[in-house]
Amino acid sequence: MKISHGIRQFHRWLSMAFTLLVIMLFAVQGFGIKPPQWLFLVPLAPLFLLMASGLYLFFQPYAMRRRRAAE
């Protein structure tokens, strides 16, 4: 259960960081500052990590049930 708890905490903190990053990008645009185009690609890295950890967390209960049924 330790790994699962760690992944869940990682997912939570990463989602907060991702949200703040996206909000900051929109806020910068709202002030009329034109950020470089590559800056809009920065949120993709945490987004892919969120997808991977979210898929793990989604399928974990099904895998646990399957393991318990096999015992």
Side-chain angles (χ1 to χ4, degrees):
M1 274 319 237
K2 286 253 185 210
I3 292 174
S4 174
H5 179 70
I7 291 175
R8 188 174 307 276
Q9 286 294 99
F10 173 75
H11 187 82
R12 286 179 185 157
W13 283 104
L14 190 61
S15 67
M16 286 187 264
F18 172 76
T19 303
L20 288 175
L21 185 60
V22 171
I23 288 171
M24 286 187 330
L25 279 172
F26 279 108
V28 165
Q29 280 187 316
F31 287 120
I33 301 170
K34 187 86 166 160
Q37 193 66 29
W38 63 267
L39 203 57
F40 292 99
L41 299 176
V42 171
L44 290 178
L47 188 61
F48 285 123
L49 290 172
L50 280 169
M51 182 182 69
S53 61
L55 286 172
Y56 172 80
L57 292 171
F58 179 78
F59 285 111
Q60 182 188 15
Y62 300 110
M64 294 287 276
R65 278 189 223 144
R66 186 173 237 184
R67 269 189 241 138
R68 286 185 189 146
E71 291 177 353

